[in-house]
Amino acid sequence: MNRQLLVWMALWMTLTGFAQRTLVVNKGDVQSLLDAISEANRLNADQDAERLYILIPDGYYDLGETTLTRISGNQVALIGQSTEGTIIRNAPDTKMESISKTAVLQNRGRNNYYQDLTLRNDLDYYNVEPDGRAVCLQDKGTRTICNRVRMLSFQDTYYSDNEKCQHYMGRCVV
């Protein structure tokens, strides 16, 4: 690992005080990202769980055609190293086009936090009927916070159909 990455990880672990509640993704390794999300969902299934951090180094995490990568744990924080450098991307099959089927990530947890990430949906919206809707974050949870998150797609980058959803976006591109 490079020095900048090690300094960044050490800083986060120091600031949180919960090194044992931190999962670190291997740089650019999409399977490591999926494993960390799965582990966070398992560890934080309880609504009263303590905050769990997933640290994601700068890198390109290509989910391919995979959609709706579910974050069902509660009090889960996905923290990228930088908004421009930490990119989680998918490119759904054009047959999947729909506001409810194409999302890169699907939040189903409570009190989840996203920071310093780019979520990019690369659905080929020029060659799809009828609308080219390609969601980056589908929010079915509540009390969701996004801070310095870029959501890049054609339309409907953030979508919530939870009438009781509470969310906050700070310094985001949506």
Side-chain angles (χ1 to χ4, degrees):
M1 283 189 206
N2 69 33
R3 181 172 161 62
Q4 181 184 11
L5 178 59
L6 290 172
V7 169
W8 170 73
M9 289 189 318
L11 175 65
W12 265 106
M13 289 182 188
T14 301
L15 290 174
T16 63
F18 291 105
Q20 71 278 9
R21 302 283 302 158
T22 303
L23 303 172
V24 179
V25 172
N26 295 328
K27 181 179 176 76
D29 184 346
V30 72
Q31 189 57 54
S32 178
L33 172 65
L34 294 172
D35 291 346
I37 290 171
S38 180
E39 182 71 359
N41 291 340
R42 185 183 70 75
L43 291 172
N44 278 34
D46 185 50
Q47 276 197 345
D48 297 323
E50 290 182 45
R51 174 71 66 201
L52 186 143
Y53 298 89
I54 299 176
L55 299 183
I56 309 169
D58 280 350
Y60 189 72
Y61 301 87
D62 188 351
L63 300 171
E65 291 186 354
T66 302
T67 62
L68 303 173
T69 298
R70 184 173 289 181
I71 299 158
S72 58
N74 301 289
Q75 298 276 11
V76 174
L78 274 75
I79 311 289
Q81 187 175 353
S82 70
T83 305
E84 297 78 20
T86 306
I87 301 166
I88 304 172
R89 174 252 188 209
N90 75 352
D93 187 304
T94 55
K95 295 176 193 140
M96 294 287 293
E97 187 278 333
S98 167
I99 199 165
S100 63
K101 296 180 184 175
T102 60
V104 177
L105 298 179
Q106 182 188 65
N107 180 56
R108 288 190 166 258
R110 182 178 178 88
N111 298 319
N112 288 342
Y113 181 80
Y114 303 85
Q115 179 178 307
D116 294 327
L117 303 168
T118 292
L119 302 177
R120 194 171 92 201
N121 190 318
D122 282 340
L123 174 83
D124 185 7
Y125 47 81
Y126 287 118
N127 293 311
V128 70
E129 295 288 332
D131 298 317
R133 296 167 298 185
V135 176
C136 293
L137 180 60
Q138 183 187 75
D139 196 353
K140 292 182 171 284
T142 189
R143 296 187 177 172
T144 304
I145 297 174
C146 292
N147 184 31
R148 296 188 306 264
V149 175
R150 286 190 315 176
M151 297 183 209
L152 304 177
S153 186
F154 180 62
Q155 66 176 346
D156 302 312
T157 55
Y158 175 86
Y159 172 70
S160 176
D161 61 354
N162 179 353
E163 292 179 9
K164 298 184 187 231
C165 178
Q166 298 171 323
H167 55 267
Y168 174 80
M169 306 272 179
R171 298 181 285 176
C172 292
V173 175
V174 182

